[in-house]
Amino acid sequence: MQAITRVQRLAEAGIGQVPPQYIQPLDQRPIKPRSESPSPPNNIPLIDLSKQSESIRCEIGRACREWGVFHVINHGVPLELLHQIRSVGRSFFEQCPMPEKLKYSCDSSSAASEGYGSKMLANEDSVLDWRDYFDHHTFPLSRRNPSNWPESPPIYRRVVAEYSDKMEALAVKILKYMSESLGLAPSCIKDAVGDFYQNITISYYPPCPQPELTLGLQSHSDMGAITLLIQDDVEGLQVLKDGDWITVQPLADAIVVLLADQTQIITNGEYISSQHQATTNASKARLSVATFHDPAKTVKISPASELVSESSPPRYCGVVYGDYVSAWYTKGPDGKRNLDALLLDS
């Protein structure tokens, strides 16, 4: 198995230039904002889940149609748990010695394998992201094996398991509101997805000597149904809106909801998956925690029959989720090209 370079090692070595394999093509490098003033704190929709249900449904529907991404607050996940998952993740990357970290190395030849990694795509000629990560398999419970996760700090495994359970419940709640906002039965989207396959990925983006040449995570939309993400206090997440990259300001108590590709298919394009990326910076390490909720690989995803009619024909052909995943990891995301490949002629 080919040795993988850890980005954190490069950063700690004090290199002055980024190695060539991390340099993005000119047309994919991060673009400086047109204004030097900071982004407003609520520059993506912010939805308070303690409001009346009708108001929540209306706001979620609008956000899903126009953005594909939004913040939620008063979401029912203990704020202390958000703090703890950030804390144990940062402890692993910043306090655990490299030889100990390497004991948890994932299989770099297998896409989305559990453990400590630095390379997402299977193809050898892809530009590398300026990122290290730890991927945890958490649902269904038959995949959850905490002995595969770090032992230190001592609360690490308990925190990840508790966080997993809370995120799964929140994902179900949000998909319910999304279904209802389309006039569908509350369980419609969740039933189409089936039992969640949940992964929790803690990403660590070390300081980069040439952030203008790199991306922490290249432009993509997520493959599955819905992603729930939290950031630390360092900017980096950007979402594409009307041709412009918008920097999502970190909100300590909020959770970012990112619609993913299978939800766009199920809703027949009524709701859009979010194209997003992560930028780097020269002075501060950044950490995020993304919780992915996907179908099983054997599930076939198609537009919901309730949203298809003579006047509103299907916009996407059905796809077996495992085939979609294989294409994504083999070809690379390149924005939303894998989703666009399923578009039917209108």
Side-chain angles (χ1 to χ4, degrees):
M1 187 166 58
Q2 183 181 0
I4 301 296
T5 301
R6 304 300 173 182
V7 175
Q8 189 175 3
R9 266 187 168 164
L10 293 175
E12 290 174 352
I15 60 171
Q17 293 185 319
V18 171
Q21 62 268 34
Y22 295 93
I23 297 177
Q24 292 289 333
L26 274 170
D27 63 343
Q28 295 179 33
R29 293 177 190 173
I31 299 171
K32 287 186 178 180
R34 294 171 185 170
S35 170
E36 291 300 320
S37 59
S39 303
N42 295 340
N43 58 344
I44 63 170
L46 176 69
I47 299 174
D48 184 345
L49 295 186
S50 68
K51 289 183 176 180
Q52 294 292 326
S53 293
E54 183 56 39
S55 175
I56 295 171
R57 283 193 289 269
C58 182
E59 291 183 34
I60 282 182
R62 187 180 310 118
C64 290
R65 280 190 174 89
E66 298 177 2
W67 286 83
V69 58
F70 50 93
H71 273 127
V72 291
I73 57 172
N74 294 317
H75 37 65
V77 181
L79 300 183
E80 176 62 18
L81 189 56
L82 302 187
H83 169 73
Q84 287 178 330
I85 191 84
R86 294 185 189 103
S87 177
V88 298
R90 189 169 287 276
S91 177
F92 172 76
F93 285 102
E94 295 185 346
Q95 297 179 22
C96 184
M98 183 60 71
E100 183 67 20
K101 285 202 280 272
L102 291 174
K103 292 179 183 178
Y104 298 99
S105 294
C106 61
D107 180 0
S108 60
S109 66
S110 175
S113 63
E114 187 170 36
Y116 174 52
S118 302
K119 185 175 186 291
M120 180 173 64
L121 298 176
N123 51 331
E124 294 299 325
D125 57 352
S126 60
V127 179
L128 297 179
D129 296 324
W130 192 262
R131 174 185 80 127
D132 297 327
Y133 60 86
F134 200 109
D135 194 29
H136 312 74
H137 293 177
T138 43
F139 271 100
L141 292 177
S142 58
R143 298 170 72 233
R144 185 188 291 184
N145 184 359
S147 66
N148 292 334
W149 309 339
E151 292 180 274
S152 179
I155 64 169
Y156 190 110
R157 294 172 177 177
R158 174 183 62 78
V159 166
V160 171
E162 289 181 9
Y163 188 80
S164 165
D165 294 341
K166 294 293 186 181
M167 289 293 112
E168 195 263 354
L170 180 59
V172 170
K173 178 192 291 188
I174 292 173
L175 289 184
K176 170 182 172 288
Y177 282 127
M178 287 168 53
S179 293
E180 292 174 341
S181 70
L182 287 165
L184 303 172
S187 64
C188 181
I189 297 176
K190 176 62 170 66
D191 288 346
V193 173
D195 291 338
F196 284 143
Y197 274 64
Q198 184 198 69
N199 284 14
I200 297 177
T201 302
I202 302 178
S203 294
Y204 185 79
Y205 305 90
C208 178
Q210 294 175 296
E212 72 279 4
L213 302 181
T214 63
L215 284 170
L217 198 57
Q218 63 186 277
S219 169
H220 68 288
S221 54
D222 292 338
M223 295 175 281
I226 187 171
T227 302
L228 304 177
L229 180 140
I230 61 172
Q231 307 189 73
D232 61 9
D233 59 353
V234 180
E235 287 185 3
L237 175 64
Q238 293 187 329
V239 298
L240 190 64
K241 177 72 163 80
D242 299 329
D244 290 327
W245 285 106
I246 309 294
T247 298
V248 178
Q249 290 298 302
L251 299 178
D253 296 347
I255 295 171
V256 181
V257 179
L258 294 147
L259 271 63
D261 291 347
Q262 307 314 302
T263 295
Q264 181 164 334
I265 295 171
I266 293 166
T267 63
N268 203 29
E270 291 288 326
Y271 291 170
I272 57 173
S273 59
S274 171
Q275 187 170 337
H276 54 284
Q277 64 184 19
T279 59
T280 62
N281 73 83
S283 58
K284 290 183 178 179
R286 174 175 174 265
L287 183 133
S288 68
V289 185
T291 307
F292 304 96
H293 298 88
D294 302 346
K297 289 185 178 179
T298 54
V299 171
K300 185 172 183 179
I301 300 293
S302 304
S305 59
E306 298 92 331
L307 298 176
V308 173
S309 65
E310 189 173 343
S311 61
S312 179
R315 299 177 193 174
Y316 298 93
C317 60
V319 63
V320 175
Y321 184 61
D323 294 340
Y324 193 87
V325 171
S326 296
W328 199 99
Y329 277 111
T330 303
K331 299 175 184 176
D334 193 16
K336 296 175 73 168
R337 72 171 173 187
N338 294 297
L339 181 60
D340 293 341
L342 299 177
L343 278 167
L344 295 168
D345 295 332
S346 55

